[in-house]
Amino acid sequence: MSALLCASALGQVSSYGDKQAGDNTGDQLPTVLQQVGVTQRLNQMLPLDAQFVDDTGKIVRLGDYFGKHPAILSLVYYNCPMLCSEEMDGLSSALEMVHLTPGKDFDIVILSIDPSETPEIAAKKKAFYVKRYGRPETADGWHFLTGQQAAIDAVSNATGFGYVRVPGPDGKLTQFAHASAIEVVTTQGRLAQYYLGVEYSPKDILLGLIEASGNRIGSPVANILTYCYHYDPQTNRHSLIVARVVQLGGMMTVASLGSFMFVMFRRDLQLGRNHDLSSKRTVMKDNHGD
């Protein structure tokens, strides 16, 4: 499994004096991320009897959102300080260019993996993203759910979505390490397609929804993951990875600048040669005329 480690997903970094050397050199995934990932379980049936609470406070079954339309499923947590917002931003931006209507052609089901989150928090997130999407009449097609651990586990196990609790800035286990992915689900409630990362192709999503509407199952995609996690500041080992990302960006900038300067230098040199040649030709013509 390959991994894409994004600087924006690496979270808060402790101050210089708080950093301690760890056994991770930056060439391998940190131990916490070795427990996190997405296993693509295409054609797996979701636990349609699993109960949740929607953003209005109503008790619902996951199966309530299937039968007529396909759906896009996303497992996040609403108070995530890092990657979840990027994932939701990417999804809503892509859907703006998908010429289908939520609630009519498909549904969007967002499920919190944090059992402590409430319908009130879910309602605020829904209002924000429906407004961002720009089509308030589609609100009935957006479903932001919360639930108990057993129901969350049933869905995360079915989707192959691995995550672990990690300490927040206060040292309490209030945050989660997880990867970023959305799934397209058939009208029957079977997993039809995975899209990984935080940016999604509108064309791919449209095709996935059309195929899922006919209960067709797609193919696995390259397992390039973007991770979201917060490391314990007392054993902070990801600062080296952040530094290497910054160093890589600096090296690419220097290389690009060097290439530009080299091209411009050659251009100026060639212009100088052409000018000298032109001057010589003029002198030769003048001498010949004399």
Side-chain angles (χ1 to χ4, degrees):
M1 177 179 68
S2 58
L4 174 62
L5 294 177
C6 296
S8 62
L10 293 172
Q12 300 118 332
V13 179
S14 58
S15 63
Y16 180 82
D18 294 334
K19 295 179 183 177
Q20 299 179 9
D23 57 10
N24 180 57
T25 64
D27 298 326
Q28 301 177 4
L29 285 178
T31 302
V32 65
L33 293 187
Q34 294 176 6
Q35 306 172 55
V36 173
V38 176
T39 302
Q40 299 179 48
R41 295 179 175 165
L42 295 171
N43 206 31
Q44 172 70 43
M45 178 69 76
L46 292 178
L48 301 183
D49 289 332
Q51 287 191 344
F52 295 94
V53 180
D54 70 8
D55 44 81
T56 69
K58 177 184 176 182
I59 297 177
V60 297
R61 294 171 54 255
L62 188 61
D64 292 342
Y65 306 112
F66 301 96
K68 294 183 179 180
H69 312 299
I72 294 175
L73 174 67
S74 176
L75 277 68
V76 297
Y77 67 108
Y78 304 131
N79 285 325
C80 176
M82 291 168 279
L83 197 65
C84 296
S85 295
E86 296 294 328
E87 176 181 323
M88 291 298 302
D89 290 348
L91 175 59
S92 61
S93 296
L95 291 178
E96 291 175 12
M97 294 179 280
V98 174
H99 301 300
L100 296 175
T101 302
K104 177 183 177 182
D105 302 310
F106 69 101
D107 284 280
I108 304 162
V109 181
I110 311 298
L111 171 62
S112 172
I113 59 175
D114 185 352
S116 70
E117 292 189 323
T118 65
E120 290 75 19
I121 297 174
K124 290 180 180 179
K125 282 293 181 181
K126 174 178 177 176
F128 177 85
Y129 281 104
V130 170
K131 182 178 180 180
R132 179 186 174 92
Y133 181 56
R135 298 172 62 186
E137 72 278 6
T138 67
D140 289 343
W142 296 72
H143 314 283
F144 284 65
L145 309 182
T146 56
Q148 299 300 311
Q149 191 65 60
I152 295 171
D153 288 345
V155 178
S156 63
N157 290 336
T159 58
F161 185 84
Y163 66 93
V164 294
R165 283 185 176 271
V166 292
D170 58 1
K172 297 180 180 179
L173 295 174
T174 56
Q175 296 186 5
F176 297 84
H178 63 90
S180 178
I182 61 173
E183 296 81 37
V184 175
V185 187
T186 70
T187 59
Q188 297 175 341
R190 293 184 180 275
L191 293 164
Q193 188 66 66
Y194 286 75
Y195 300 114
L196 307 180
V198 295
E199 294 185 358
Y200 312 106
S201 163
K203 181 179 179 181
D204 289 344
I205 290 179
L206 175 61
L207 180 60
L209 287 171
I210 292 174
E211 291 184 341
S213 67
N215 293 303
R216 292 188 292 274
I217 307 300
S219 303
V221 297
N223 221 10
I224 301 176
L225 302 179
T226 303
Y227 293 102
C228 175
Y229 74 102
H230 176 281
Y231 230 28
D232 185 345
Q234 297 302 317
T235 56
N236 190 337
R237 303 169 192 167
H238 66 251
S239 57
L240 179 59
I241 300 176
V242 175
R244 290 187 176 180
V245 171
V246 173
Q247 289 169 2
L248 179 59
M251 291 171 61
M252 292 177 65
T253 300
V254 171
S256 299
L257 181 59
S259 298
F260 174 76
M261 292 178 66
F262 177 72
V263 171
M264 294 303 295
F265 176 77
R266 290 193 60 183
R267 180 183 176 186
D268 290 343
L269 183 60
Q270 186 63 40
L271 287 174
R273 289 176 177 174
N274 291 341
H275 177 72
D276 290 343
L277 182 58
S278 177
S279 299
K280 290 179 180 179
R281 286 175 177 172
T282 301
V283 171
M284 291 176 64
K285 285 182 179 180
D286 291 342
N287 291 338
H288 182 74
D290 293 341

